[in-house]
Amino acid sequence: MSANLIQTLIPQLPRYAEEEGDFYSVPREALISALCRQHQLERAIAENTVYVIETLLDSLAVLNTAYLPKGEWCFVSFPAQLLAMSILTAMSDNESRFFADNFWNTQGIADAKKNQQREVLSVIENRRYEHHSSHNAKPIRYIYVSWGLIKLDGNILFYQREDTQKRFDKKAGDYGLVGGRLNQHDVPADMAMPALLAELQSANSGLIKKALPETLKREISEEVGLVFELHYRFMPWRSLKPYRQVQGSAPNHALTEYYLDIFQIELTLEGYLFLQQQIKRDDRLAWFAIDDVANGETVDGKIAYVKALVDDDRLALKTGLLALPDSFATGYLFDPPKYGLTLLVDAEKPLLAGVLGKEKAIDVVLTSRQLSVLLGLAAHGRGFEFAAVEQNIVFHSYGWVDVKNNPTLQAELKQLVELLKGTDLIIENHRDELFRLSINPGVVYFDEALFTYSVHKADLIGTKTKIPVSIERKALATALGMTTVKAEAFKVTLEFAHKLQQLSEKQFSADNDEAVKIEDRYEKNLHKESRFSALGLRKLIRRDAGVIKFCCKLDVL
């Protein structure tokens, strides 16, 4: 549009008084006629010029909409007139700019400059979005997003968003699901640049959506370090309905339409173990409980960004997340009911295993060294802490031990795997590097000789209703390292403490009423304590060969 045409129109514009509020309107026809007369324009060109400017001024809300249907221009106020004059004067003056020539440059600029760009776009786009007459403003930016769901033990993994410290809307959430937005490099390289950019900046592009799995692989590698196929596989979970929001990290802030595909992640063993180590190293990774995700709750000062998920369907979100299987199955190869395995520390004595109360010796002969290796696996699987660990081995969760850098132990474990084949003592071997005793740790128990029950004599002769007692597990030397001493304190009634002392000093037949009562009281109370179970002692009181016996050393202090 020629600057001369706009210069011709400016004197013809209506006016509004600055102080008294007087104003007048100008017929649209008069503006068209002025252009035709002064510039010898065809009427169609003059009409088009006037209508374009009218559309511009109307979008700025400076024209009184009651006059436009009558074919007249009228400003709504003096400030509105000033804004119109400012815009049109700048358009008609080749030297006028609202911004410096390099204001919108984005390459290599400081954050302060980016935020200036963002502020301008934010004001314009928010006003356009909020004041759209039909509340359906058209987006001018399209973003395709790929998210991955990593779920373990009822928690979902989130990653701290890179623009957390720079965003103005910090309450929106500073942690997002792992994954992120598609970029042009995720799309097959054989596509010409003009066509590629056109697809990237268009709505609901099927071509771009097909590239979202590549986005997921790239983002998970960048954020979590996981490698596709080696560490994980994935499958589609759901595609969210598109949603619109004035959003975007500075300076790319505009009314945006988002297309989000979410994938459920299935971790391999390597992936699971790698992830555990990565979470310890990177505090940008954080777990959120499903309820916190669904309700948008703050956890330790962290907020999960879930707007897109919640807006899609809050109830379906929670239901879907609860139904989603864990990303890694930790199941053990041997997990029988009502079973027990007792590991003794003396290689001369047999290992006992089987249905509780009917255990039998396992038909296998181990050397002292082999037993020491087995005890180390069992202790780690049981969650025992180690005061010292052998060189070049790494402990992982769920009983896994990495021995790839310890050739001696690696060879011993491979031999032990073969030796124990066909027995209840199943040892998993993963690529000759990762090993674990693949028995549910809750049924693995340790030699009673490791445990001491202690009570103070002063408490036994005192008058308190309840007194403290403790059960201690000695340090255990294994081929993997030395475990720590572990003691747990409990409170029992004074009467029961005396009964236990009585039982420790004398064995009673299994049909002795008093002994049966002591056993029953123990089974209903102390035996059910999770802290007692975690020690690894099968029972404090048990039946053996027709007698009820106290099963560990008693120490009266």
Side-chain angles (χ1 to χ4, degrees), residues 216-227 232 278:
L216 184 70
K217 296 175 190 177
R218 175 181 53 76
E219 288 283 347
I220 287 182
S221 174
E222 292 173 358
E223 295 180 350
V224 192
L226 296 174
V227 178
Y232 70 97
Q278 191 74 347

Side-chain angles (χ1 to χ4, degrees), residues 495-506:
E495 177 193 6
F496 186 56
H498 280 291
K499 297 292 186 184
L500 290 176
Q501 183 181 17
Q502 180 184 359
L503 191 61
S504 71
E505 295 170 349
K506 177 183 177 183

Side-chain angles (χ1 to χ4, degrees), residues 361-494:
I362 295 178
D363 187 19
V364 64
V365 177
L366 300 178
T367 66
S368 296
R369 175 64 182 180
Q370 289 169 334
L371 177 61
S372 182
V373 172
L374 182 62
L375 285 169
L377 289 178
H380 174 52
R382 255 296 194 166
F384 292 3
E385 292 184 7
F386 281 72
V389 179
E390 289 297 310
Q391 286 187 341
N392 299 322
I393 69 170
V394 179
F395 285 144
H396 293 289
S397 53
Y398 293 104
W400 288 101
V401 182
D402 185 338
V403 296
K404 62 177 177 289
N405 294 320
N406 189 322
T408 300
L409 190 55
Q410 189 177 29
E412 290 175 326
L413 279 164
K414 289 167 64 177
Q415 292 174 357
L416 195 57
V417 169
E418 295 301 317
L419 178 64
L420 296 176
K421 277 186 177 179
T423 74
D424 292 351
L425 295 167
I426 300 175
I427 298 178
E428 282 185 82
N429 174 1
H430 187 77
R431 299 183 180 178
D432 290 343
E433 295 179 353
L434 294 161
F435 295 83
R436 75 165 174 174
L437 182 61
S438 194
I439 303 175
N440 186 326
V443 302
V444 177
Y445 304 103
F446 291 80
D447 199 327
E448 294 166 356
L450 293 172
F451 298 89
T452 300
Y453 168 91
S454 301
V455 61
H456 287 273
K457 183 176 181 180
D459 290 321
L460 287 172
I461 63 176
T463 58
K464 291 182 179 179
T465 304
K466 284 192 173 185
I467 63 172
V469 299
S470 71
I471 301 175
E472 179 182 282
R473 184 186 68 235
K474 296 178 183 177
L476 175 63
T478 79
L480 305 187
M482 176 73 74
T483 68
T484 60
V485 174
K486 178 67 174 178
E488 292 286 357
F490 305 91
K491 280 202 169 184
V492 301
T493 64
L494 179 61

Side-chain angles (χ1 to χ4, degrees), residues 33 55 134 141 199 216 297 307 312 364 387-388 511 545:
S33 297
T55 300
S134 62
R141 179 173 176 255
E199 287 289 335
L216 184 70
E297 298 291 337
K307 177 175 173 53
D312 190 71
V364 64
D511 59 358

Side-chain angles (χ1 to χ4, degrees), residues 337-378:
K338 298 180 180 179
Y339 177 92
L341 166 68
T342 302
L343 299 175
L344 304 180
V345 297
D346 186 349
E348 298 296 323
K349 296 180 180 179
L351 305 177
L352 302 175
V355 176
L356 292 175
K358 300 180 181 179
E359 296 94 331
K360 297 180 180 179
I362 295 178
D363 187 19
V364 64
V365 177
L366 300 178
T367 66
S368 296
R369 175 64 182 180
Q370 289 169 334
L371 177 61
S372 182
V373 172
L374 182 62
L375 285 169
L377 289 178

